Amino acid sequence: MTQRRRAWLALLPAIAAVGGLSAYALADTIAESLGRTGATGAPVSLDAYRHVMAGQGFWRAALFSLWVAAAGTAVSAAGAVAVAWAWTRHPGRPRRVRLWILQLNVTIPHVVWAVALLATFSQSGSIARVAHAVGLIDRPDQFPVVVTDRHGIGIIAHLVTKELPFLVLLVLPVAGASVASLSRAAAGLGASPWQQLRLVFLPAITPALAPGAAVAFAFALGSYEPAAVLGVRSPRTLAVIALERFRDPDLAVRAEAMAMSVLLAATTMAVTAAGWLLARAAARRRATRSRRSALAARVALAGPAGSAAPTAPVAPARSPTLAPPLLARWFARAATATVTATGLAVLVVPLATITVSAVSIRWFFPELVPSEWTLTGVRDVLGGADTLAALRTGLVISLTVTVLAMVLAWPAARRLADSAFAGRAASFAVLFLPSVLPAVGLAIGIDVLALRTGLAGHLPAVIVAHLVPSLPYAIAVLAATFSRFDVRLEQQACTLGATRWQAWRAVTVRAVAPGLVVAALFTFLVSWSQYLLTLLVGSGDVTTLTMLVFTEASGGNATRLGTIAVLDALPAALLLAAATPFLRRQLEQPSPAERAR
Amino acid sequence: MRRRIAPLLAAGLLALGACGSSSGASSTAAGPPDLANWASVTKAAKGQTVNWYLWGGSDSINSFVDQTYGPMLSAGYGVTLHRVGVADTVDAVNQVLAEKKAGKATGAVDLIWINGENFKTLKQAGMLLDGWARKLPNAKYVNWDNRAVNTDFGTPVGDLESPWSSAQFQFVYDTARMESSELPRSYAALSAWACAHPGRFTYIAPGPGAFQGTRFVKGALYELSGGPARWQAYDRAAWDTWSPKLWAYLQQLAPCLWRKGETYPKDENELHKLFANNEIDFTITQAAVGPGALIDAGQVPKTAKAFVFDANSIGDFNYVAVPSNAPHKAAALVLANLLLEPASQAKQIVPSNGFGLGYAVDVAKVTEPSQRKLLDDAAGALGPAATPSADLAKALVGDAAAEYQDLVEKGWAEHVAGSA
């Protein structure tokens, strides 16, 4: 009873911050969608829903949104599994460059990345200019439409390039050396690579991958920046339409925006719930299977010890693993090099494009290299009081949010990692509420609360608002990390005479450090790249650098946009640089549990 | 042990967060300023900070506002200018509406650069300060009898907003790419030109935040229906008669457009970008001085130049309004009055200053010779990129009644956007 109460006590702060605020926002969105706005005081009605559903193009937009989100998430998840699997099969392989490709990509705020992709892949972008320079095309319209296309390829490309690295980074801490050694053990027992992937690797990473993919899907469905920058007028995603309706000065249209938000939220919640049920069913199947394979393993291991046991099934499986044919090895190496080079190009070319635009002016098609270089953008931005103030404000907000999120997420994640905890599913559902709510509805709801309490326009209100979307990320990463942390190690340390403080510091913190670093990084990034929440809750008094990028993106001065975008990508990249060696060491070294063995 | 540390840390951080929150707490709500006694208004304004919410998408406008009005306010009136850039004016409108919804008697917004639909929204919500615009000392320079001034997209301006500047729809071409004799001078000629040069023309998709696209379509409606006269007041029957012809014109134009009309640029800056990168041959501008500010900002080639059709070039005025819950009303009125000062009007139309929109004042009403000279000199110094003023004046027509804005945008989305 006390233990149960303690468990809930550990979860309460996080649930209050995340669940309380987002539940309020959701309730307010629903109320507004039913016509209950303070400004008009109209009676409850379902008119907004009727209008929305009967509206021309609603179902087309809904299908388009689902297609973009599903394709983006599926490709990201499959790619993440492939990358993580390849790395764990070759321990010690995650080299600095490859980790950097993934991580640097994650650190780039969404609006910056979307702007960079557009500058690179548009019909007069940097790739088209290369095509012109080598004589492949004469005019921009001969270059294929790969962004702002009608099939959502540009948006999907954005989602994949952002979400794939995110999922790999989520999976890597749990797919560490211990999983690799388990895989090797399975190989030793005769498991084929496919069996190793299916029976050892996938089950090990699912606790991190499943919630990660759910969050990625919800993000994709409710995301605004990539669809706004890389999409077309028609078809559009529901999130873009909802925001446009909300920005319509007509109050009746605003109610329709709220109705769309509610429908969007219902969809993401339904899909997440379905995914949850599927994951649970898979977990149950896995449990049965692992009992069976454990039995098989015991039988196999008993073999050499027992006198008459057959050794034949083990031996043939070993030889291909230990000595793959030369050609196959060469192929594998070539494939790895190609993937690394592609990853590098996908990352470097867009960043190089916006960096060059930051120091040039009148850089128009078909110029591959600018003819007019300038430092006015850099001088204006670094010398501008408002840009420096925005940089400072952003840092104060995001660093505070990160520390607060770690403090709140730690106890919550520990409880949630314990599969025996009865309130696990319910708590997860509440904590992940903001991740499955469309960003617009969430922002409006929180803003109204902030205005009512008189906190709007103040830094603490913005910080609390940022916690709502970022805390679930922190909890997801930490819970995944804790799920492979053996609590008994803590107890052992205590038995051996350590105080609880010593046990916590020397055993727990060290064991979960990689996850903690990743969680802190993600929290910082989610907060750093927030636009809507800062704008609304900040009442225009709180300006961050990411907000300036948005303003510049609609402003059209490529020099200034490039400069501010590069500056906006810097702090997170620098934090990452500080964290990388540590991360890499953790990924390459055996976990404390393995060292203890 | 760690269970005791976490809350301690959290408490410390909350305190830390609170440290940085001192900004914006000094709002002092005051009663309506007494406009009969202007000295009392400037006295009340002294020491106040005016929060001016305006579209922040143009760096040249931003720095013009900061560098021109900022020093004038602080030196002349002891007022501090706080410019709040918004991505779309509707953000500022929503801010005021959200404040109303939350029951906030003292808001955050003192002055808004406002127009058309947004003005109508706040007027309907009863959130605008009334009875001041025509009583400002410099209101005497404004031609309040001009219908283009006293109605804003068909909505009567009353005494709720004060003009700041004026704008007129023009096209921009690149003199390095074509001769002025090749330019289309009507919507009919444009259609012929576009289909002779497939993929080289497009326009901004009409919609909220993209009034220039709506304005392009309204111009077509004017030409098809024989002129602007019937559209100055709302007439549903006229709309039902002429809108099918409008959609037919635009549908027939669509396959000749950039990317065969399967998509359209979302705003002016995207259109400029396509023009500058040689994807299309025309962009547009609203500035009296043409693309001068765009050339200086490096958004379009130095060889860009503005022109207008022979008729149906829609022009209008920009206004500023004061929310009724503005915390610093006196300072807001001082700023609104300063905007109409002949000296500041002369500065605003010169493109190298970064703004380059037309006069809000009627030059004929400025009788003091030195002030009049300021205005005339500025108008005479407009660069070679500007449309000849005679062309502008000949083609100028007023915008349609506000009701048509929504009809055009919704109808376009239904009949044109989905037709490709």
Side-chain angles (χ1 to χ4, degrees):
Chain A
M1 187 62 205
T2 348
Q3 195 146 10
R4 244 181 85 188
R5 198 181 301 152
R6 207 182 283 166
W8 282 111
L9 218 62
L11 279 164
L12 197 65
I15 287 185
V18 173
L21 280 176
S22 44
Y24 179 91
L26 182 63
D28 197 72
T29 310
I30 292 172
E32 285 213 22
S33 73
L34 296 171
R36 299 292 298 152
T37 56
T40 57
V44 170
S45 88
L46 285 171
D47 283 358
Y49 287 91
R50 255 178 249 126
H51 276 141
V52 165
M53 313 270 272
Q56 205 207 11
F58 170 78
W59 295 106
R60 189 163 174 233
L63 277 178
F64 182 67
S65 307
L66 282 174
W67 148 249
V68 166
T73 310
V75 176
S76 303
V81 169
V83 170
W85 166 242
W87 281 6
T88 39
R89 274 173 71 75
H90 305 283
R93 275 293 178 83
R95 288 197 198 118
R96 200 176 287 259
V97 172
R98 277 185 237 157
L99 265 184
W100 258 93
I101 295 173
L102 289 177
Q103 291 162 341
L104 190 60
N105 191 300
V106 168
T107 64
I108 300 162
H110 278 281
V111 62
V112 175
W113 187 239
V115 163
L117 285 181
L118 189 65
T120 306
F121 293 102
S122 78
Q123 287 185 297
S124 55
S126 47
I127 306 280
R129 295 175 197 199
V130 172
H132 181 272
V134 300
L136 283 175
I137 61 168
D138 292 324
R139 302 185 315 269
D141 65 335
Q142 291 166 329
F143 190 77
V145 181
V146 283
V147 290
T148 60
D149 63 301
R150 302 189 85 189
H151 308 291
I153 305 299
I155 307 171
I156 294 171
H158 175 108
L159 292 171
V160 170
T161 46
K162 289 295 288 182
E163 300 293 343
L164 191 151
F166 162 72
L167 290 177
V168 172
L169 289 181
L170 266 187
V171 163
L172 276 184
V174 289
S178 62
V179 176
S181 67
L182 270 179
S183 277
R184 277 197 298 279
L189 293 171
S192 69
W194 172 244
Q195 283 173 316
Q196 292 168 42
L197 175 69
R198 214 164 47 94
L199 297 174
V200 179
F201 189 73
L202 281 180
I205 62 164
T206 300
L209 184 66
V215 168
F217 177 83
F219 171 81
L221 197 63
S223 70
Y224 175 72
E225 299 100 302
V229 176
L230 300 165
V232 280
R233 297 283 312 173
S234 166
R236 290 183 295 170
T237 66
L238 282 184
V240 172
I241 299 177
L243 192 69
E244 188 191 274
R245 299 258 167 109
F246 173 71
R247 289 156 80 97
D248 195 301
D250 185 347
L251 290 177
V253 179
R254 273 176 65 156
E256 284 181 34
M258 293 299 160
M260 289 182 108
S261 291
V262 172
L263 292 174
L264 217 49
T267 312
T268 51
M269 282 193 226
V271 171
T272 312
W276 199 260
L277 290 175
L278 279 175
R280 245 181 48 183
R284 246 184 249 130
R285 272 204 306 281
R286 203 169 63 227
T288 325
R289 203 185 293 134
S290 69
R291 264 199 303 282
R292 233 183 286 138
S293 54
L295 195 68
R298 239 176 285 137
V299 170
L301 283 171
S307 52
T311 49
V314 180
R318 241 182 215 159
S319 49
T321 320
L322 292 178
L326 197 68
L327 199 66
R329 250 191 312 181
W330 188 83
F331 258 121
R333 233 172 252 173
T336 317
T338 311
V339 170
T340 307
T342 310
L344 202 61
V346 164
L347 178 68
V348 166
V349 174
L351 290 184
T353 303
I354 53 164
T355 308
V356 170
S357 74
V359 290
S360 64
I361 191 165
R362 286 181 263 276
W363 185 30
F364 303 138
F365 183 93
E367 276 186 0
L368 187 56
V369 178
S371 56
E372 282 185 71
W373 298 90
T374 178
L375 282 177
T376 51
V378 179
R379 219 176 294 129
D380 285 357
V381 168
L382 293 183
D386 51 344
T387 40
L388 291 183
L391 177 67
R392 205 164 43 237
T393 307
L395 280 175
V396 167
I397 291 174
S398 298
L399 289 175
T400 313
V401 167
T402 306
V403 177
L404 276 179
M406 290 306 105
V407 170
L408 290 172
W410 181 287
R414 258 202 103 155
R415 290 315 128 195
L416 293 172
D418 177 9
S419 54
F421 172 51
R424 195 163 171 255
S427 307
F428 257 123
V430 174
L431 286 171
F432 276 81
L433 190 59
S435 322
V436 299
L437 285 179
V440 187
L442 192 68
I444 303 300
I446 294 174
D447 185 33
V448 170
L449 179 64
L451 281 166
R452 281 191 190 136
T453 51
L455 289 170
H458 296 261
L459 221 47
V462 176
I463 288 168
V464 171
H466 278 203
L467 270 176
V468 177
S470 58
L471 198 51
Y473 280 78
I475 291 173
V477 177
L478 274 184
T481 313
F482 274 123
S483 73
R484 61 158 198 155
F485 170 65
D486 193 344
V487 188
R488 284 172 306 181
L489 286 174
E490 242 180 18
Q491 290 156 359
Q492 265 175 27
C494 289
T495 315
L496 292 172
T499 62
R500 286 176 76 171
W501 165 246
Q502 284 173 324
W504 182 68
R505 216 171 49 96
V507 178
T508 321
V509 170
R510 261 187 214 184
V512 301
L516 195 64
V517 169
V518 174
L521 209 58
F522 282 165
T523 310
F524 180 87
L525 294 171
V526 172
S527 164
W528 185 256
S529 51
Q530 272 301 321
Y531 170 68
L532 274 177
L533 275 175
T534 318
L535 176 80
L536 295 180
V537 178
S539 294
D541 287 339
V542 180
T543 306
T544 64
L545 211 54
T546 302
M547 289 174 68
L548 287 189
V549 179
F550 243 104
T551 315
E552 288 304 327
S554 70
N557 183 332
T559 307
R560 204 177 145 85
L561 171 64
T563 314
I564 293 185
V566 170
L567 188 62
D568 194 42
L570 269 185
L574 292 178
L575 275 186
L576 174 74
T580 303
F582 174 75
L583 260 177
R584 196 161 132 266
R585 211 165 49 236
Q586 290 296 332
L587 287 169
E588 284 171 0
Q589 279 175 2
S591 69
E594 277 168 295
R595 247 181 272 134
R597 216 173 274 148
Chain B
M1 185 66 194
R2 74 173 180 280
R3 284 189 185 82
R4 248 179 290 156
I5 281 181
L8 214 83
L9 215 65
L13 280 162
L14 279 173
L16 198 79
C19 294
S21 69
S22 53
S23 70
S26 59
S27 48
T28 43
D34 177 17
L35 278 148
N37 182 357
W38 183 247
S40 76
V41 177
T42 55
K43 194 174 164 227
K46 197 165 184 168
Q48 289 186 343
T49 294
V50 55
N51 298 305
W52 189 8
Y53 280 56
L54 70 172
W55 177 67
S58 162
D59 301 312
S60 53
I61 295 182
N62 292 345
S63 54
F64 168 75
V65 167
D66 288 340
Q67 285 158 23
T68 306
Y69 304 127
M72 287 171 119
L73 275 176
S74 58
Y77 303 93
V79 171
T80 309
L81 173 64
H82 180 220
R83 177 180 57 79
V84 182
V86 291
D88 191 307
T89 304
V90 77
D91 294 336
V93 171
N94 284 331
Q95 166 83 27
V96 174
L97 290 177
E99 286 167 1
K100 181 188 179 183
K101 194 179 155 193
K104 261 190 136 181
T106 305
V109 187
D110 290 315
L111 197 70
I112 310 177
W113 176 13
I114 202 164
N115 222 208
E117 290 171 282
N118 291 314
F119 168 64
K120 197 178 170 193
T121 303
L122 283 186
K123 187 183 177 186
Q124 277 175 348
M127 285 305 287
L128 291 178
L129 186 68
D130 199 359
W132 60 274
R134 299 179 194 218
K135 297 188 187 73
L136 293 176
N138 289 333
K140 62 174 182 271
Y141 301 132
V142 176
N143 184 2
W144 289 99
D145 298 330
N146 185 344
R147 207 178 166 278
V149 174
N150 63 37
T151 58
D152 186 352
F153 282 74
T155 304
V157 164
D159 218 358
L160 294 163
E161 56 179 5
S162 169
W164 172 19
S165 54
S166 61
Q168 187 172 350
F169 187 95
Q170 300 151 73
F171 293 93
V172 174
Y173 73 109
D174 188 347
T175 54
R177 278 185 239 167
M178 70 175 80
E179 300 293 325
S180 66
S181 57
E182 299 171 59
L183 300 173
R185 295 286 181 170
S186 68
Y187 281 90
L190 175 69
S191 173
W193 186 93
C195 290
H197 304 83
R200 303 299 299 176
F201 179 78
T202 191
Y203 56 92
I204 298 164
F211 75 94
Q212 303 95 332
T214 315
R215 190 160 278 189
F216 169 82
V217 174
K218 283 179 192 164
L221 179 66
Y222 284 6
E223 182 174 311
L224 289 168
S225 63
R230 75 175 89 236
W231 307 107
Q232 299 304 303
Y234 179 57
D235 177 358
R236 181 76 212 196
W239 174 254
D240 289 341
T241 307
W242 292 102
S243 62
K245 296 180 176 69
L246 176 63
W247 308 138
Y249 169 81
L250 294 171
Q251 282 163 1
Q252 158 270 318
L253 181 64
C256 301
L257 297 179
W258 172 74
R259 285 182 61 179
K260 300 186 172 62
E262 65 166 23
T263 187
Y264 293 80
K266 65 176 181 307
D267 56 28
E268 213 173 17
N269 286 311
E270 197 181 340
L271 196 70
H272 296 330
K273 207 167 98 180
L274 292 175
F275 169 70
N277 282 302
N278 214 344
E279 293 199 46
I280 54 171
D281 286 325
F282 297 106
T283 184
I284 56 141
T285 182
Q286 304 285 322
V289 300
L294 296 171
I295 291 172
D296 289 344
Q299 276 191 263
V300 298
K302 285 173 176 164
T303 42
K305 186 171 169 30
F307 73 101
V308 282
F309 285 174
D310 292 333
N312 300 313
S313 161
I314 297 176
D316 68 0
F317 284 77
N318 291 307
Y319 302 85
V320 289
V322 183
S324 51
N325 68 349
H328 313 109
K329 294 189 182 73
L333 297 185
V334 165
L335 175 52
N337 187 58
L338 177 72
L339 298 179
L340 292 173
E341 200 78 49
S344 22
Q345 288 282 312
K347 278 184 187 159
Q348 83 179 23
I349 74 160
V350 178
S352 57
N353 288 345
F355 191 58
L357 289 190
Y359 288 140
V361 295
D362 185 343
V363 177
K365 285 181 176 280
V366 181
T367 46
E368 206 277 313
S370 67
Q371 291 185 328
R372 177 63 181 266
K373 188 170 184 306
L374 278 176
L375 295 174
D376 288 343
D377 287 353
L382 299 182
T387 307
S389 52
D391 287 10
L392 280 178
K394 189 180 74 172
L396 175 66
V397 292
D399 208 325
E403 285 84 352
Y404 293 115
Q405 187 83 358
D406 217 33
L407 287 174
V408 166
E409 289 171 1
K410 291 232 169 73
W412 184 86
E414 190 186 335
H415 298 284
V416 184
S419 72

